[in-house]
Amino acid sequence: MTLKFAILGLLAENPMSGFDLVGQFDVGMSVIWPAPQNEIYKILRALESEGAIRVADTGPRGRIVYAITPEGRTALTAWLREPTDYTMRYEPMLKAVFMRQATPATRRAIAKADGAFAAEQLAKLRQADAKRRAERKPDPRADARRLIILFYEAMEKWAKETAED
Amino acid sequence: MTLKFAILGLLAENPMSGFDLVGQFDVGMSVIWPAPQNEIYKILRALESEGAIRVADTGPRGRIVYAITPEGRTALTAWLREPTDYTMRYEPMLKAVFMRQATPATRRAIAKADGAFAAEQLAKLRQADAKRRAERKPDPRADARRLIILFYEAMEKWAKETAED
DNA sequence: ATATCACATGTGACTAATCACAGGTGAAGG
DNA sequence: CCTTCACCTGTGATTAGTCACATGTGATAT
């Protein structure tokens, strides 16, 4: 159900095909909310039959470009206003809960891997951020990027603390 | 599959019944990884048939207390050593991605709600932290609590920034 | 020409997760 | 005694998500 709105939200930014959406999730979206390729196509068909999106264009190789409809936009903003579900699913945090039960070597290995991942994501995000700023166009994702950067900074800090104990 | 290890990890800390596990998830675990009540019982049966846990005790009202077996402990540490899946599912972050598409009032409402939730969690966590420190017992969850505190601090900070724009 | 590759959507079988409800049991209080 | 409530496990139906594979097409280079 949440994935449906992830897709609807992306289509609200720009008309896109299923293939384009797969690319969006590959590029960075899946860090926040993953989407298997075939789920995307299923949801597109569902959203279309609900009238939230419509076929805006077709292209070579069976390409189907979808665009959000006014009803879809209404549904999206209604979802944004609904109470948020704050339950998270994040394996690194779960491993952190149990890591004291493992050997110090394993603990350090986990912390190191977490830190490396966070650093890698931060590098990407900061680069994207700099690029966007240089372009001086309004950036609809700026808020989210800021939140995600703060999040990975916290994770990196934690990893450093935890690796050296 | 990940939930299986969440349950195994909890049983590695203490022998518990399904009912106790439901309580654990209610109290705070579900913020990191949620578990519907009936999934817990299903997984307990599966873990038992795999030999990762065993019935350690029975009590009134059909209560069944499970304890982890040596094989279970092996499986748990093997999981900890396995490469971590860093994909997250977190609705607040997803909403952050699309919040620029909503009205300023909606954006502020989202940021405010997120900030309030983070503050509430921080209050709980800090209290638990202080209590644990006062007890001076070794705390297997200390690492995780630290990570989660850092995470909610980041979220609170972001919410403050975002609410006032 | 034709081989290769990126583009693009889809199906089928399966597993995990979710929702809503069912139903029995011991403890405690009036 | 008997009502009420917290305790405790469970079933059945449904939906969402995952894995692995299938299929066709246009562009590009040799």
Side-chain angles (χ1 to χ4, degrees):
Chain A
M1 269 295 300
T2 306
L3 181 53
K4 197 172 94 173
F5 291 105
I7 288 171
L8 193 57
L10 288 170
L11 289 174
E13 290 177 350
N14 289 303
M16 264 187 269
S17 69
F19 189 82
D20 296 336
L21 285 163
V22 172
Q24 287 288 312
F25 280 93
D26 277 351
V27 159
M29 202 65 189
S30 71
V31 173
I32 300 173
W33 205 281
Q37 175 260 123
N38 59 348
E39 262 296 285
I40 291 174
Y41 288 99
K42 258 190 247 172
I43 289 171
L44 284 172
R45 291 188 290 262
L47 282 171
E48 199 201 351
S49 77
E50 285 170 27
I53 61 174
R54 63 186 173 77
V55 176
D57 197 9
T58 56
R61 279 162 265 187
R63 177 183 172 87
I64 307 165
V65 178
Y66 293 94
I68 195 165
T69 61
E71 300 85 65
R73 238 171 246 285
T74 306
L76 181 65
T77 57
W79 171 70
L80 284 169
R81 265 195 284 268
E82 251 171 43
T84 301
D85 177 1
Y86 289 101
T87 58
M88 187 189 317
R89 281 150 200 258
Y90 198 45
E91 228 186 65
M93 285 206 184
L94 194 61
K95 286 197 177 180
V97 174
F98 303 125
M99 72 195 295
R100 281 275 144 191
Q101 301 191 27
T103 62
T106 303
R107 286 209 303 276
R108 268 194 295 274
I110 291 172
K112 221 183 132 192
D114 290 356
F117 180 80
E120 183 195 310
Q121 293 295 311
L122 281 170
K124 270 192 211 170
L125 286 161
R126 284 177 183 143
Q127 206 185 330
D129 210 51
K131 201 177 166 191
R132 281 306 200 135
R133 274 176 215 278
E135 281 174 4
R136 302 194 166 282
K137 282 179 218 154
D139 177 5
R141 304 261 187 104
D143 296 308
R145 202 159 44 241
R146 174 79 179 135
L147 175 58
I148 299 169
I149 285 174
L150 286 171
F151 167 69
Y152 284 123
E153 281 174 354
M155 185 156 148
E156 197 183 30
K157 186 179 172 186
W158 174 83
K160 276 203 187 108
E161 286 175 16
T162 307
E164 59 176 42
D165 98 295
Chain B
M1 269 295 300
T2 304
L3 181 53
K4 198 172 94 173
F5 291 104
I7 289 171
L8 194 56
L10 288 169
L11 288 175
E13 290 178 348
N14 289 304
M16 263 187 270
S17 70
F19 189 82
D20 296 335
L21 285 163
V22 172
Q24 287 288 310
F25 280 93
D26 278 351
V27 159
M29 200 66 189
S30 71
V31 173
I32 301 173
W33 206 281
Q37 175 262 123
N38 59 348
E39 262 296 285
I40 291 175
Y41 288 99
K42 258 190 248 172
I43 288 172
L44 284 172
R45 290 189 291 263
L47 282 171
E48 200 202 349
S49 78
E50 286 171 26
I53 61 174
R54 63 186 173 77
V55 177
D57 198 8
T58 57
R61 280 163 266 188
R63 177 183 173 85
I64 307 166
V65 178
Y66 292 94
I68 195 166
T69 61
E71 300 86 65
R73 238 171 247 286
T74 305
L76 181 65
T77 56
W79 171 71
L80 285 169
R81 266 194 284 267
E82 250 171 44
T84 301
D85 178 0
Y86 289 102
T87 57
M88 188 188 318
R89 282 150 198 259
Y90 198 44
E91 229 186 64
M93 285 204 185
L94 194 60
K95 286 198 176 178
V97 173
F98 304 125
M99 71 196 296
R100 282 273 144 192
Q101 302 192 25
T103 61
T106 303
R107 286 209 302 279
R108 268 192 296 274
I110 291 172
K112 221 183 132 194
D114 290 357
F117 180 80
E120 184 194 310
Q121 293 295 312
L122 281 170
K124 270 191 211 170
L125 286 161
R126 284 176 182 143
Q127 205 185 332
D129 211 51
K131 203 177 162 189
R132 282 307 202 135
R133 275 176 214 278
E135 282 175 2
R136 301 191 167 284
K137 282 179 217 153
D139 177 5
R141 304 261 187 103
D143 297 308
R145 202 159 45 241
R146 174 78 179 137
L147 174 58
I148 300 169
I149 286 174
L150 286 171
F151 167 70
Y152 284 123
E153 281 174 354
M155 184 157 150
E156 197 183 31
K157 186 180 174 186
W158 174 83
K160 276 203 186 106
E161 286 176 17
T162 307
E164 57 177 43
D165 99 296

